[in-house]
Amino acid sequence: MAVMSDRALGRATLHRQHLLEPAGLTALEMIEHLVGMQAQAPWPPYVGLWTRLRAFDHKDLARLLEDRSVVRLLMFRGTVHLVSSADCLALRPLVQRVIDRMYVTAKLTAAVGDPDAVADRGRRLLAEKALTPKEIGDALAEHLPGVLPRQLGDVVRARLPLVQVPPRAVWGVGGATRYATAESWLGAPLQAAELPAVIRRYLAAFGPATVADVQAWSGLTRLREITDAMPGLLRLRDEHGGELLDLPDAPRPDPDVPAPVRFLPDFDNVVLSHARRARIIRDEHRPHLFLRNGIVPGSFLVDGLVEGTWRADDGTVTVRPFNPPSDRVREQLAEAGEQLARFLAPPGAAVAVRFADHGQGVS
């Protein structure tokens, strides 16, 4: 059985993520290829698409949100993702039990009584119009005195597939979070996809991968019984002895193929979607990226590995390497950082790149 090193795994994943060479895809095609993009905050997916596509403008994603081609809702790992409308309807049912496990706890159930009854009442409310979380909780509390509005809102948000409607997440507009049910917003019912097909899509975007990797990405458990029954998968080994799964015709480039500097947004799935992340970040650097407050800041790749973090303020991109970069890498970071600053800043605004002290994450 062939063995792949961490470096080889990293190059394969970067190729499939279009982080070695930008892709000539549309924004919608890329979102579907990635099986969604984590979107805890509204703006990171814009950077995630910009760094992967040959041509991308803010309006490309804004238009998809406005015409309902894509939506933002709780999905994999119980986190907010940007997904295509088709994937919303097909994938949300698969991860519902993950969301229930994370959010509809025994303590919350004891407080609200019957979560299904609360969700049904919430569905009727949202059939009338999109509502903010506070409006949902307050309206439900009128019928369930003694229960905190926040708790009622939490049940509805978890039990129902609620999408955040525009202008939320529309670049240059923003707005308060307002929810509608996916079925009413998209005019179609949910219908769960076949799990083996979803696993194959994961491998196409993140593979080669172990079963534990698939579970880390999705939040689902007991997937080995599914993958063991899947025909046609390629079986490999990683350098630590773990069994890797892959699609036979998926690209696995040479480990020494050049990997250019790339800037990644906050919460990018390429750094979150494996149980072992040595293919993308060294163990000693993990504490600088996965912060105790749950924030995963924007990062940058050098030679295929996360080598620092960044943040943007008023046209200035501040780059904070984990270790002092070479002169050549510093020049590459400055050039790519200026391109990022121009993408984020208003047209014609002054931009700059600043290097901060190394060894710490951006605060």
Side-chain angles (χ1 to χ4, degrees), residues 126 129-131 133 136 157 162-165 177-181:
L126 290 163
K129 63 177 180 178
L131 299 172
I136 295 170
R157 181 169 177 258
L162 300 187
V163 301
Q164 299 185 19
V165 304
T177 299
R178 289 185 178 275
Y179 289 116
T181 65

Side-chain angles (χ1 to χ4, degrees), residues 199-246:
I199 293 172
R200 290 179 184 276
R201 289 182 62 189
Y202 167 79
L203 293 175
F206 294 93
T210 65
V211 174
D213 291 331
V214 186
Q215 294 181 161
W217 164 74
S218 64
L220 297 167
T221 57
R222 301 181 64 181
L223 292 185
R224 182 168 295 281
E225 57 194 67
I226 303 295
T227 60
D228 283 351
M230 290 174 59
L233 290 183
L234 184 64
R235 312 274 170 168
L236 306 165
R237 291 276 178 199
D238 64 28
E239 62 182 84
H240 310 280
E243 183 187 54
L244 296 164
L245 308 174
D246 205 8

Side-chain angles (χ1 to χ4, degrees), residues 27 77-78 102 129 156 167 171 229 296 321:
R77 305 184 299 278
M102 294 180 65
K129 63 177 180 178
V156 172
W171 189 271
V296 181

Side-chain angles (χ1 to χ4, degrees), residues 138-153:
D138 288 348
L140 291 172
E142 293 178 5
H143 302 277
L144 293 164
V147 183
L148 294 176
R150 177 183 56 78
Q151 293 174 316
L152 295 167

Side-chain angles (χ1 to χ4, degrees), residues 17 23 38-39 78 105 107 123 155 160 170 177 188 211 213 237-238 265 271 279 307 319 324:
Q17 289 278 312
Q38 187 156 328
T105 62
K107 181 178 179 180
R123 189 189 301 275
V155 168
L160 300 181
V170 173
T177 299
V211 174
D213 291 331
R237 291 276 178 199
D238 64 28
V271 300
R279 71 180 70 195
E307 292 291 351
V319 178

Side-chain angles (χ1 to χ4, degrees), residues 2 21 76 80 109 128 158 186 193 245 282 294 309 312 324 344 352-353:
E21 290 287 341
F76 303 112
V80 177
T109 299
E128 300 174 10
L186 301 176
L245 308 174
R282 296 183 178 90
T309 56
L344 294 172
V353 177

Side-chain angles (χ1 to χ4, degrees), residues 8-19 205-208 251 253 270 274 279:
L9 289 173
R11 287 301 193 269
T13 299
L14 292 178
H15 187 289
R16 299 176 201 194
Q17 289 278 312
H18 296 285
L19 292 169
F206 294 93
V270 76
H274 298 90
R279 71 180 70 195

